[in-house]
C-alpha cells in the first residue's frame, strides 16, 4: 500500500472514504505523479486495479476473482479482447430466449442416391439424365455433386465417357469441373493428361484452370511448370495469394529454397497479403542456414508491421521452427500476459503508448482526414471548428474527455443528465481535469436533460457543445489527442466509422493502437451503482521481439475474433543460456 | 466388380463410338486401328501409368480422352498460328473473357473494343468481374428484347397474311367513316405538353436540380443520374401544372452535360428547361430556397408554392453520407426532408429516393397538397403501408387536432421499439421480433 499518494487534502478525504466504503486496495495517482510503468498516464480507477496490485504469477490463487458476478456472465476485461463481440451476441440471444429458438440451419447436402457409387454405362447415364430435373445442365450439375461428395474419379470418368459418346465433345466447363475433382482427389496422372488435353484444345485457359493446374502440379515432380503457369496468369490478372502459396509449397517440397523465397518476395512486392498456410509452409520447410533465418524473422516483422496475428496452427509451426534452430537454443511456451508482463518469462511487453513521432502523425491525420476530410461541412462548420480549436488551446490539457451523449445513454434506466453527472463527478472527484463534449440540445431544459444537473456538470468540468447537426466524435478525438499522451476518453463507441475515414492502413493501425490505450469503456452501469471502467491494457498486442525473445500473439482455433478485437493468447519464445 | 467381360463390352461400345467418331477411335485394349499412330504415345503412357484403368472395372473410362484429344487436333491449325506471336494485352483479355464464358461464368458473349479497353483499365479483379457481370446482364436484356421483337413481328406477319383476303375491302370502308376529328396523333399531344412547358417557363414555380456532384460520382452513377433526370423531365412535361425546371451548376464539359447531350440528342437544344452554369443562389433570393435532402433535421410539413425547392442530382452507390447537407450548410440554405417516417411505416432501404420519385411526389403535392397521395410514389418494397390507413380503420375523425393526436399516438406505438433499437445498437434481433409482434397486432386490427 505504499503506492497511495495524496497531493490534495480534498482528494485525500474522498479517497479515504472510497477506501473505507470499498475496503479493497486501490491505486490511483494524481497526474503530477508519473507511474513507472507507462509514460505518465494518470490512473483512472478501473475494475482491474486489484489485479494490477497483485504480483504476477499469483493468478491461480485468485479463485474468487469474479465473486460478485455469475460465472457465465463475467464481464470481459476489454471490448477489444478476442471473442467479446461473439460473447455479447450470445448473451443477447440468450436473453432473447425463445424468440430465437430455431436451431442452426442444416446445410443442404446432395442426396446420396443422386451420385452413383460405381461407374455407369452410357445407357445407365442416359436413363439418369432423362429422369433428372434439368437435362440441359445435367452433366455439369452431376459433376458438381460428385465434387461436393468427394466421390471417386472413375465414376466421373464414366460420365465423361458417356458425354463424349453422346455429343462427340466434352465442354470446357465439364473438363474444368473434372479437373477440380482430380486436383482435390490428388490424381496426378489425370491432371497431367487433362493439362495436355486442355493445352492442345484451347488457346488459353481461364484463371480458374490455371489456379487448379498450379495446385495440381505443385505436388508432383513437374512442379516447375507451376512457374510457367503463374507467368501466364500474370499476363491477364494478378495471381492470387493462393496461387503463389501453391507454387511456394511446390518449391518447398522439392527443396528449392531460393525459388520459394523469390516467389514470396514477388508476392509481397505486388502488395498481396500471403496466406497463413504459406507462412506455415515456409516455417515448416525447415530450411536452415543464416539467410533463411533472417528471412523467416522478416516474416514475423511483416506480421508486426501489418498487425497480423498468426493462427494457432501457424503459431505451432513458428514455435517448432524456433525450437529446431541449431546452436542457440530457443525455448517456446504458450502464455498469457498480465499487466504487461509475460506470465511465462516475466519479460515486460511493449507499451501501448505511441511514440512522439507517431503521436504527432496521428494527431495531424485525425485533424485532416477525420474532422476536415474532403469537406469540412460534412461534419461541422469552419466557424465551429475555429471556436473549438481556440477553446481547446485556451485551456490547460485535459485528463479525461467524455463523450457526453454516449455516456448519458449508457444506462437505460434513469435520467440521462443524471447518468452523465454521476460519471463526471466520479472522475472529477479523482482530481482529474474533465472535458465534456455534447450537443447544444442538451442545454435546453427537458425531461431527460435537467438544467440543474447540467449546471452541476458545467461546474465540475469544462464543456463544449456542438451544433445539433454536427458530429461530436471527431471533436472528442481531437481534444483527447491535443491534450497529450496521458489524456483518455470515455465512450462506448468503437469509433469504427472514424477509423474508416483514415485512408491508409498504417494510419488506421496507429489509430487503433491509440484507441486501445486511451479509451475508457464504461461497464454496464445502473444509477446509484459504482462506476467501473474496463481495464486499459498497458501493453501492445502485436508481434514483438526484444534481443533474446519473441512474443507473438495468436488466434486460438475456434474462437471468433472481430476485426476490432485482439487476441489474448501469446507464444513466448526466449533464448536459453 | 468383373461383371462385364471386355469382349462383351467391346460389342456394346464399339458400335456407339464408331458410329459417331469414325473408325479411328479405339479402345486402348482393342485391336490396333490405322489411325492409332496419332495418339500412340499418349495411349501407351496412359496404359502404363494406369494399369487398373477402365478395363478392371469393365468400362472404358479413358475413351473420352481420345474424343477430347481428337478435337484438339481439329482446332490445332488456328492455334498453331496464334501461339507464334505474343498476343496484345487487349487480345489476351478478350481471350480470358472468352474462357471465362466457357467456364460457365456470367460474362458477355461479345465485347466491343471500348468495353474491352474499359475492362483492361479497371484496377482490381473484383472490379473486372463486376463489370463483366454488368455487361452480361445488359447483353441478356438486349437479347431478350430482340427476341421479343422478332416474335412480335412474326406474329404480326402471320396475322396479316391470314386475313389478307378480307382486309382488301376493309380500309376502303374505314376511310369513308364520318368523323369530326382526324386521328389524334402523338404529335398533337406533344404540342400540348410543350405549350404547357412553355407556360411553366414563363409563370411556373421553379424546381432546381443541383448539378454540382459530378466529381463525387463514377461514370455509372452519372449515367444513372441522367436517366433519372430524363424521367423527371418526362413526368414534369406530362403533368397538368409543370414546374419550371432549372439545371443549375451545369458546367460546360461536365460529365452530366455530355451524358445529357448523348441521351437527348438534338432534342437537348429544344428542351423547355433552363440549363445554366450559374448556381441556384445567384438565380433566386436565398430565403426562397429550400434544399431537399434526406439528412436534413427539418421535416417538410407542407408544400409551399412560393419556395424554390432544390434537389441534388446525384446517385450515390458508394457511401457518401451528408454530401448535399454539407452543400446546403455551406451556402446557408434552409433544408428539409420528406415526411417519410411520419406517414409511412418504414421497413427497409435508404430514405433517399430516386429523382423521378421525388419529382412525382413534388408534382402531386403541388397539385393536391396531400402527403398520403404524394407518398404513393415511394416504392412499396420500402415500407409497410401508411399510418393513416390504420386511422381510417379505427374510425377516427379526419379533421383538426384530434386527427393529429391520433396520428402521433399511432406513431409512438409503432416506433418506440425501433427507437430503442437504434439507441442500444446491438439488440436489433430482439426488437425486430418485438416489432413483428406489434405488426401482426396492427394487421389483426
Amino acid at each position: 500500500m505504499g503506492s497511495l499518494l495524496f497531493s490534495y487534502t480534498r482528494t485525500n478525504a474522498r479517497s479515504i472514504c472510497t477506501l473505507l466504503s470499498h475496503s479493497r486496495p486501490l491505486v490511483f495517482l494524481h497526474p503530477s505523479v508519473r507511474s513507472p510503468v507507462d509514460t505518465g498516464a494518470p490512473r483512472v480507477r478501473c475494475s482491474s486495479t486489484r489485479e494490477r496490485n497483485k504480483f504476477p504469477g499469483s493468478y491461480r490463487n485468485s479463485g474468487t476473482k469474479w465473486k460478485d458476478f455469475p460465472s457465465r456472465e463475467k464481464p470481459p476485461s476489454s471490448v477489444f479482447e478476442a471473442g467479446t463481440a461473439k460473447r455479447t451476441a450470445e448473451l443477447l440471444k440468450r436473453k432473447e430466449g425463445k424468440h430465437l429458438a430455431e436451431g442452426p440451419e442444416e446445410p443442404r447436402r446432395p442426396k446420396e442416391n443422386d451420385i452413383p457409387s460405381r461407374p455407369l454405362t452410357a445407357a445407365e447415364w442416359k436413363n439418369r439424365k432423362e429422369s433428372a430435373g434439368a437435362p440441359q445442365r445435367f452433366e455439369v450439375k452431376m459433376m458438381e455433386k460428385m465434387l461436393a461428395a468427394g466421390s471417386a474419379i472413375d465414376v466421373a470418368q464414366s460420365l465423361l465417357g458417356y458425354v463424349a459418346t453422346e455429343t462427340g465433345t466434352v465442354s470446357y466447363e465439364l473438363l474444368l469441373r473434372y479437373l477440380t475433382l482430380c486436383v482435390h482427389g490428388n490424381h496426378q496422372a489425370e491432371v497431367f493428361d487433362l493439362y495436355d488435353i486442355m493445352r492442345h484444345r484451347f488457346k488459353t485457359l481461364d484463371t480458374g484452370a490455371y489456379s487448379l493446374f498450379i495446385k495440381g502440379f505443385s505436388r508432383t515432380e513437374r512442379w516447375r511448370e507451376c512457374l510457367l503457369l503463374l507467368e501466364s496468369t500474370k499476363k491477364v490478372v494478378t495471381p492470387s495469394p493462393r496461387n503463389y502459396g501453391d507454387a511456394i509449397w511446390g518449391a518447398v517440397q522439392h527443396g528449392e529454397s531460393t525459388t520459394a523465397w523469390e516467389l514470396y518476395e514477388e508476392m509481397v512486392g505486388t502488395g498481396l497479403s500471403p496466406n497463413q498456410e504459406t507462412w506455415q509452409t515456409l516455417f515448416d520447410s525447415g530450411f536452415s542456414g543464416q539467410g533463411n533465418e533472417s528471412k523467416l524473422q522478416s516474416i514475423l516483422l511483416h506480421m508486426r508491421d501489418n498487425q497480423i496475428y498468426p493462427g494457432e496452427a501457424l503459431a505451432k509451426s513458428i514455435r517448432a521452427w524456433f525450437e529446431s534452430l541449431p546452436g542457440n537454443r530457443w525455448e517456446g511456451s504458450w502464455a498469457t500476459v498480465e499487466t504487461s508482463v509475460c506470465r511465462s518469462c516475466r519479460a515486460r511487453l511493449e507499451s501501448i503508448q505511441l511514440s512522439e513521432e507517431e503521436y504527432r502523425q496521428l494527431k495531424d491525420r485525425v485533424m485532416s482526414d477525420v474532422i476536415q476530410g474532403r469537406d469540412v461541412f460534412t461534419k461541422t462548420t469552419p466557424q465551429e471548428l475555429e471556436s473549438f480549436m481556440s477553446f481547446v488551446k485556451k485551456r490547460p490539457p485535459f485528463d479525461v474527455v467524455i463523450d457526453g451523449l454516449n455516456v448519458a445513454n449508457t444506462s437505460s434506466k434513469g435520467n440521462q443528465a443524471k447518468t452523465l453527472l454521476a460519471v463526471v463527478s466520479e472522475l472529477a472527484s479523482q482530481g482529474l481535469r474533465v472535458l465534456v463534449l455534447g450537443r447544444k440540445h442538451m442545454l435546453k431544459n427537458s425531461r431527460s436533460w435537467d438544467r440543474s444537473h447540467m449546471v452541476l456538470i458545467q461546474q465540475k468540468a469544462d464543456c463544449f457543445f456542438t451544433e445539433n447537426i454536427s458530429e461530436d466524435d471527431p471533436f472528442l478525438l481531437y481534444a483527447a489527442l491535443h491534450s497529450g499522451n496521458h489524456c483518455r476518453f470515455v465512450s462506448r463507441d468503437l469509433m469504427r466509422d472514424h477509423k474508416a475515414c483514415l485512408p491508409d492502413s498504417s494510419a488506421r493501425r496507429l489509430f487503433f493502437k491509440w484507441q486501445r490505450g486511451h479509451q475508457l469503456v464504461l461497464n454496464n452501469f445502473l444509477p446509484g451503482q459504482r462506476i467501473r471502467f474496463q481495464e486499459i491494457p498497458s501493453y501492445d498486442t502485436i508481434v514483438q521481439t526484444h534481443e533474446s525473445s519473441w512474443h507473438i500473439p495468436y488466434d486460438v482455433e475456434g474462437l471468433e475474433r472481430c476485426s476490432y478485437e485482439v487476441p489474448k493468447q501469446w507464444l513466448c519464445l526466449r533464448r536459453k543460456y | 466388380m468383373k461383371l462385364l467381360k471386355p469382349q462383351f463390352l467391346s460389342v456394346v461400345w464399339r458400335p456407339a463410338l464408331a458410329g459417331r467418331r469414325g473408325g479411328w477411335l479405339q479402345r486402348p485394349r482393342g485391336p490396333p486401328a490405322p489411325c492409332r499412330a496419332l495418339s500412340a504415345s499418349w495411349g501407351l503412357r496412359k496404359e502404363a501409368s494406369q494399369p487398373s484403368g477402365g478395363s478392371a472395372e469393365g468400362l472404358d473410362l479413358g475413351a473420352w480422352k481420345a474424343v477430347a484429344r481428337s478435337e484438339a487436333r481439329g482446332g490445332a491449325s488456328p492455334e498453331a498460328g496464334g501461339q507464334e506471336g505474343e498476343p496484345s494485352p487487349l487480345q489476351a483479355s478478350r481471350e480470358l473473357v472468352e474462357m471465362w464464358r466457357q467456364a460457365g461464368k456470367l460474362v458477355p458473349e461479345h465485347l466491343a473494343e471500348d468495353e474491352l479497353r474499359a475492362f483492361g483499365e479497371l484496377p482490381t479483379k473484383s472490379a473486372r468481374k463486376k463489370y463483366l457481370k454488368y455487361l452480361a446482364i445488359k447483353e441478356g436484356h438486349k437479347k431478350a428484347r430482340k427476341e421479343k421483337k422478332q416474335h412480335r413481328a412474326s406474329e404480326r406477319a402471320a396475322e396479316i397474311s391470314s386475313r389478307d383476303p378480307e382486309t382488301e375491302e376493309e380500309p376502303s370502308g374505314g376511310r369513308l367513316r364520318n368523323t369530326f376529328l382526324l386521328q389524334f396523333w402523338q404529335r398533337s399531344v406533344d404540342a400540348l405538353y410543350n405549350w404547357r412547358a412553355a407556360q411553366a417557363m414563363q409563370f411556373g414555380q421553379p424546381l432546381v436540380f443541383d448539378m454540382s456532384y459530378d466529381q463525387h460520382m463514377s461514370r455509372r452513377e452519372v449515367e444513372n443520374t441522367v436517366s433519372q433526370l430524363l424521367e423527371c423531365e418526362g413526368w414534369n412535361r406530362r403533368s397538368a401544372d409543370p414546374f419550371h425546371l432549372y439545371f443549375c451548376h451545369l458546367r460546360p464539359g461536365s460529365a452530366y452535360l455530355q451524358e445529357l447531350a448523348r441521351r437527348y440528342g438534338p432534342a437537348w437544344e429544344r428542351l423547355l428547361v433552363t440549363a445554366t452554369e450559374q448556381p441556384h443562389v445567384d438565380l433566386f433570393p436565398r430565403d426562397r430556397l429550400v434544399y431537399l435532402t434526406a439528412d436534413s433535421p427539418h421535416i417538410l410539413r407542407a408544400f409551399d408554392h412560393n419556395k424554390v425547392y432544390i434537389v441534388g442530382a446525384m446517385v450515390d452507390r458508394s457511401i457518401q453520407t451528408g454530401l448535399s447537407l454539407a452543400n446546403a450548410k455551406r451556402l446557408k440554405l434552409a433544408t428539409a426532408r420528406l415526411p417519410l417516417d411520419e406517414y409511412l411505416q418504414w421497413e427497409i432501404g435508404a430514405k433517399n429516393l430516386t429523382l423521378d420519385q421525388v419529382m412525382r411526389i413534388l408534382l402531386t403535392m403541388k397539385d393536391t397538397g396531400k402527403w398520403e397521395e404524394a407518398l404513393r410514389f415511394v416504392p412499396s418494397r420500402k415500407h409497410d403501408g401508411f399510418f393513416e390507413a390504420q386511422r381510417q380503420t379505427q374510425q377516427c375523425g379526419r379533421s383538426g387536432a384530434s386527427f393529429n393526436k391520433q396520428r402521433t399516438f399511432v406513431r409512438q406505438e409503432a416506433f418506440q421499439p425501433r427507437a430503442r433499437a437504434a439507441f442500444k445498437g446491438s439488440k436489433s434481433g430482439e426488437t425486430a421480433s418485438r416489432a413483428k409482434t406489434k405488426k401482426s397486432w396492427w394487421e389483426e386490427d
Side-chain angles (χ1 to χ4, degrees):
Chain A
M1 296 299 287
S3 53
L4 272 176
L5 294 162
F6 305 117
S7 320
Y8 300 137
T9 42
R10 184 172 63 90
T11 344
N12 198 343
R14 286 231 174 106
S15 322
I16 288 167
C17 290
T18 25
L19 262 179
L20 290 175
S21 60
H22 296 288
S23 66
R24 48 181 256 185
L26 282 169
V27 174
F28 58 91
L29 304 172
H30 190 264
S32 60
V33 184
R34 305 273 136 160
S35 87
V37 177
D38 32 72
T39 60
R43 281 282 174 70
V44 178
R45 213 181 287 143
C46 292
S47 61
S48 63
T49 0
R50 183 162 41 161
E51 282 148 82
R52 287 205 179 148
N53 272 347
K54 239 172 253 155
F55 183 72
S58 63
Y59 188 74
R60 289 194 184 277
N61 307 334
S62 61
T64 54
K65 195 176 140 211
W66 299 108
K67 206 170 162 188
D68 33 15
F69 296 98
S71 61
R72 61 190 179 122
E73 282 184 30
K74 86 177 172 190
S77 51
S78 163
V79 270
F80 301 117
E81 202 167 75
T84 308
K86 182 99 190 296
R87 202 158 46 227
T88 317
E90 272 168 7
L91 197 74
L92 286 173
K93 220 183 251 177
R94 219 176 18 239
K95 272 187 191 167
E96 189 73 11
K98 60 181 191 287
H99 290 291
L100 290 166
E102 98 280 8
E105 264 181 48
E106 283 287 311
R108 276 169 62 89
R109 286 174 181 283
K111 274 180 260 166
E112 287 305 317
N113 55 2
D114 269 7
I115 307 158
S117 55
R118 60 182 177 82
L120 301 182
T121 61
E124 283 173 309
W125 275 120
K126 198 167 185 168
N127 277 340
R128 274 176 179 262
K129 184 174 178 173
E130 275 157 10
S131 59
Q136 307 89 2
R137 286 179 58 80
F138 170 76
E139 296 90 6
V140 174
K141 283 266 175 325
M142 181 53 72
M143 205 59 114
E144 276 170 358
K145 276 181 204 164
M146 284 183 205
L147 185 62
S151 58
I153 56 165
D154 52 356
V155 187
Q157 280 174 341
S158 77
L159 175 64
L160 283 173
Y162 158 71
V163 173
T165 50
E166 193 74 0
T167 61
T169 177
V170 184
S171 73
Y172 182 74
E173 193 176 5
L174 198 58
L175 281 177
L176 202 59
R177 299 287 189 288
Y178 178 60
L179 173 63
T180 322
L181 189 68
C182 292
V183 170
H184 282 247
N186 208 1
H187 301 284
Q188 291 166 4
E190 281 296 307
V191 173
F192 291 148
D193 274 6
L194 269 170
Y195 180 65
D196 226 64
I197 289 171
M198 288 168 89
R199 262 283 163 206
H200 275 90
R201 200 167 132 196
F202 303 102
K203 204 168 159 189
T204 53
L205 302 179
D206 80 323
T207 45
Y210 281 130
S211 310
L212 283 167
F213 279 127
I214 290 171
K215 197 181 177 70
F217 276 26
S218 66
R219 299 164 179 159
T220 65
E221 66 280 6
R222 282 170 72 179
W223 69 273
R224 267 179 199 287
E225 287 177 44
C226 286
L227 308 181
L228 297 176
L229 289 165
L230 208 58
E231 282 304 314
S232 9
T233 316
K234 258 183 248 167
K235 274 179 204 154
V236 277
V237 291
T238 325
S240 67
R242 192 166 294 280
N243 293 158
Y244 276 111
D246 286 332
I248 290 171
W249 194 84
V252 165
Q253 292 308 307
H254 296 86
E256 291 268 352
S257 71
T258 39
T259 318
W261 283 109
E262 270 167 22
L263 283 170
Y264 176 77
E265 257 133 49
E266 190 184 311
M267 164 163 55
V268 176
T270 37
L272 295 172
S273 160
N275 283 339
Q276 299 245 334
E277 291 86 53
T278 311
W279 282 326
Q280 201 178 341
T281 313
L282 289 170
F283 276 104
D284 282 341
S285 66
F287 299 139
S288 40
Q290 201 57 40
N292 285 322
E293 192 172 330
S294 69
K295 275 173 188 160
L296 285 169
Q297 293 199 351
S298 80
I299 293 181
L300 293 176
L301 291 176
H302 175 89
M303 287 185 196
R304 175 189 167 81
D305 291 342
N306 295 294
Q307 208 170 25
I308 301 168
Y309 306 114
E312 194 166 349
L314 176 54
K316 276 177 186 155
S317 294
I318 294 171
R319 180 181 174 175
W321 177 74
F322 268 102
E323 284 174 346
S324 73
L325 279 181
N328 45 11
R329 306 219 180 288
W330 284 84
E331 192 180 36
S333 55
W334 311 113
T336 50
V337 171
E338 193 187 13
T339 54
S340 86
V341 172
C342 170
R343 281 246 176 79
S344 164
C345 64
R346 300 273 181 278
R348 188 170 291 285
L349 294 183
E350 263 178 60
S351 162
I352 194 136
Q353 303 298 332
L354 270 59
S355 72
E356 282 296 313
E357 170 62 20
E358 287 173 329
Y359 196 82
R360 198 184 47 74
Q361 235 175 39
L362 180 65
K363 197 168 121 184
D364 293 347
R365 298 304 290 275
V366 166
M367 189 63 197
S368 64
D369 294 325
V370 180
I371 302 183
Q372 284 173 344
R374 268 171 87 170
D375 188 354
V376 197
F377 286 94
T378 46
K379 297 205 169 141
T380 170
T381 57
Q383 293 85 357
E384 194 175 53
L385 192 58
E386 194 62 38
S387 68
F388 178 71
M389 301 275 278
S390 63
F391 170 87
V392 174
K393 212 168 275 173
K394 261 187 251 160
R395 281 160 179 75
F398 299 100
D399 297 323
V400 182
V401 184
I402 296 180
D403 184 349
L405 283 167
N406 188 294
V407 166
N409 288 334
T410 305
S411 109
S412 53
K413 284 171 202 155
N415 188 296
Q416 286 170 307
K418 214 169 165 183
T419 313
L420 184 57
L421 179 63
V423 175
V424 169
S425 41
E426 164 72 19
L427 287 169
S429 71
Q430 293 184 32
L432 300 167
R433 273 190 53 74
V434 181
L435 168 65
V436 178
L437 282 165
R439 295 217 177 97
K440 284 200 170 139
H441 71 80
M442 291 158 71
L443 289 172
K444 233 167 59 181
N445 197 11
S446 67
R447 199 150 23 110
S448 47
W449 295 104
D450 195 340
R451 180 157 294 156
S452 59
H453 290 320
M454 290 310 288
V455 167
L456 275 175
I457 289 171
Q458 275 163 305
Q459 282 169 1
K460 286 176 194 284
D462 282 307
C463 293
F464 187 84
F465 297 98
T466 64
E467 291 294 333
N468 291 340
I469 53 170
S470 295
E471 289 196 37
D472 51 357
D473 289 346
F475 291 117
L476 170 90
L477 297 178
Y478 184 76
L481 279 165
H482 186 88
S483 294
N485 219 340
H486 69 279
C487 179
R488 307 207 164 151
F489 66 97
V490 184
S491 174
R492 294 212 299 182
D493 198 325
L494 293 166
M495 306 278 167
R496 282 174 288 187
D497 44 347
H498 306 299
K499 196 160 58 172
C501 289
L502 297 167
D504 64 315
S505 55
S506 68
R508 260 178 258 159
R509 281 196 295 277
L510 221 55
F511 181 87
F512 185 47
K513 184 175 172 182
W514 175 77
Q515 188 189 1
R516 273 182 294 149
H518 293 84
Q519 181 163 11
L520 284 167
V521 180
L522 207 58
N523 265 339
N524 275 342
F525 164 73
L526 291 168
Q529 262 183 359
R530 240 183 60 81
I531 288 157
R532 296 152 162 268
F533 292 108
Q534 289 181 4
E535 176 188 10
I536 291 183
S538 48
Y539 60 95
D540 191 13
T541 306
I542 199 167
V543 176
Q544 47 195 275
T545 177
H546 188 266
E547 285 169 18
S548 60
S549 73
W550 277 92
H551 283 93
I552 301 166
Y554 67 93
D555 283 322
V556 180
E557 220 137 284
L559 184 71
E560 270 178 58
R561 182 169 63 84
C562 274
S563 59
Y564 60 84
E565 294 172 342
V566 292
K568 48 185 173 182
Q569 292 296 319
W570 289 74
L571 167 61
C572 164
L573 294 155
R574 61 182 181 280
R575 209 177 269 175
K576 279 186 287 187
Y577 290 107
Chain B
M1 283 287 285
K2 272 199 175 179
L3 292 173
L4 301 169
K5 288 183 178 169
Q7 305 94 293
F8 173 67
L9 249 184
S10 67
V11 176
V12 175
W13 278 75
R14 204 178 289 160
L17 294 177
R20 296 223 161 243
R21 305 302 307 171
W24 56 268
L25 181 66
Q26 296 298 328
R27 292 175 53 247
R29 289 273 168 109
C35 296
R36 180 66 193 266
L38 280 170
S39 61
S41 61
W42 280 105
L44 288 174
R45 230 202 75 174
K46 196 173 61 55
E47 278 175 68
S49 62
Q50 295 185 315
S52 64
S55 54
E57 291 290 336
L59 270 173
D60 183 4
L61 295 176
W64 63 273
K65 283 185 191 166
V67 176
R69 241 174 238 131
S70 76
E71 276 182 298
R73 272 183 228 114
S77 44
E79 176 251 349
Q83 273 197 341
E84 297 296 318
E86 191 75 2
S88 68
L90 274 190
Q91 194 55 35
S93 43
R94 189 183 283 283
E95 278 165 10
L96 176 71
V97 173
E98 170 58 23
M99 289 324 284
W100 271 345
R101 200 176 70 77
Q102 288 204 24
K105 298 207 167 134
L106 191 61
V107 298
E109 217 164 316
H110 305 289
L111 262 176
E113 200 69 15
D114 56 334
E115 285 170 342
L116 201 62
R117 212 164 291 126
F119 169 79
E121 278 162 11
L122 290 173
T124 61
K125 222 187 285 180
S126 62
R128 287 173 169 206
K129 281 182 184 162
K130 267 183 207 163
Y131 183 60
L132 286 179
K133 189 181 168 192
Y134 159 70
L135 288 179
I137 290 171
K138 215 168 94 174
E139 195 178 54
H141 286 316
K142 203 173 170 185
K143 210 189 262 172
R145 232 179 298 133
K146 220 177 199 172
E147 264 170 30
K148 210 172 171 185
K149 208 173 161 187
Q150 270 178 358
H151 184 68
R152 228 181 279 150
S154 64
E155 247 178 20
R156 233 177 110 138
E159 201 184 335
I160 286 170
S161 65
S162 68
R163 65 169 190 204
D164 222 8
E166 312 117 63
T167 46
E168 289 299 326
E169 298 100 53
E170 258 193 36
S172 59
R175 209 175 290 156
L176 289 175
R177 235 189 294 156
N178 195 4
T179 168
F180 83 104
L181 269 182
L182 290 179
Q183 186 174 351
F184 199 70
W185 294 103
Q186 185 62 40
R187 198 175 48 216
S188 326
V189 182
D190 285 345
L192 172 69
Y193 287 160
N194 280 337
W195 171 252
R196 275 196 203 147
Q199 289 282 316
M201 293 272 288
Q202 280 191 297
F203 312 111
Q205 183 181 2
L207 179 71
V208 175
F209 283 102
D210 182 4
M211 318 278 263
S212 57
Y213 297 100
D214 46 351
Q215 318 94 313
H216 295 280
M217 289 192 284
S218 68
R219 215 184 108 205
R220 279 273 292 288
E221 287 169 338
V222 171
E223 281 171 16
N224 294 347
T225 310
V226 169
S227 294
Q228 292 179 15
L229 282 174
L230 253 62
E231 218 168 311
C232 281
E233 192 268 326
W235 287 117
N236 185 52
R237 187 152 30 103
R238 270 167 280 175
S239 73
D241 182 15
F243 284 106
H244 176 192
L245 294 188
Y246 279 84
F247 293 167
C248 290
H249 269 303
L250 191 59
R251 280 178 287 273
S254 69
Y256 281 118
L257 199 59
Q258 285 168 15
E259 189 65 17
L260 276 168
R262 193 178 73 81
R263 294 291 294 273
Y264 271 113
W268 171 240
E269 294 301 324
R270 300 195 301 271
L271 207 63
L272 291 173
V273 301
T274 306
T276 167
E277 208 182 320
Q278 280 180 298
H280 34 74
V281 278
D282 290 359
L283 293 171
F284 305 100
R286 253 169 223 272
D287 55 338
R288 273 183 75 198
L289 289 168
V290 178
Y291 212 116
L292 294 180
T293 161
D295 298 319
S296 169
H298 308 292
I299 299 167
L300 190 66
R301 297 275 173 204
F303 185 85
D304 190 340
H305 294 270
N306 292 318
K307 295 280 189 205
V308 177
Y309 292 102
I310 307 169
V311 182
M314 183 171 117
V315 169
D316 179 13
R317 280 171 177 273
S318 55
I319 320 165
Q320 305 176 41
T321 47
L323 218 57
S324 51
L325 183 67
N327 245 343
K329 259 160 93 178
R330 181 177 304 116
L331 302 168
K332 295 200 177 64
L333 297 177
T335 60
R337 63 179 153 91
L338 297 177
L340 301 175
D341 279 338
E342 282 66 28
Y343 286 89
L344 298 168
Q345 185 156 10
W346 203 263
E347 288 274 296
I348 48 156
K351 298 272 168 62
N352 49 4
L353 303 173
T354 61
L355 299 178
D356 53 300
Q357 285 159 9
V358 172
M359 185 80 205
R360 296 179 78 180
I361 288 171
L362 290 177
L363 280 170
T364 319
M365 277 310 285
K366 194 177 175 213
D367 288 347
T368 64
K370 287 178 195 148
W371 282 113
E372 287 84 356
E373 226 155 284
L375 294 180
R376 275 185 304 134
F377 298 110
V378 177
S380 57
R381 66 167 190 283
K382 287 193 172 182
H383 62 85
D384 192 39
F386 283 84
F387 283 126
E388 47 91 50
Q390 273 104 46
R391 244 180 292 143
Q392 280 168 355
T393 56
Q394 284 170 6
Q395 305 285 317
C396 76
R398 248 191 158 283
S399 64
S402 67
F403 167 83
N404 259 337
K405 214 178 259 172
Q406 190 64 32
R407 201 190 71 197
T408 48
F409 166 66
V410 171
R411 263 198 64 215
Q412 277 180 358
E413 278 286 84
F415 271 77
Q416 249 168 4
R418 215 164 285 201
R420 209 172 293 147
F423 182 73
K424 283 199 176 168
S426 54
K427 288 202 172 179
S428 57
E430 178 198 2
T431 43
S433 64
R434 224 194 289 169
K436 216 160 257 175
T437 55
K438 273 273 191 282
K439 209 199 306 157
S440 63
W441 175 71
W442 282 123
E443 278 160 6
E444 279 162 33
D445 235 47

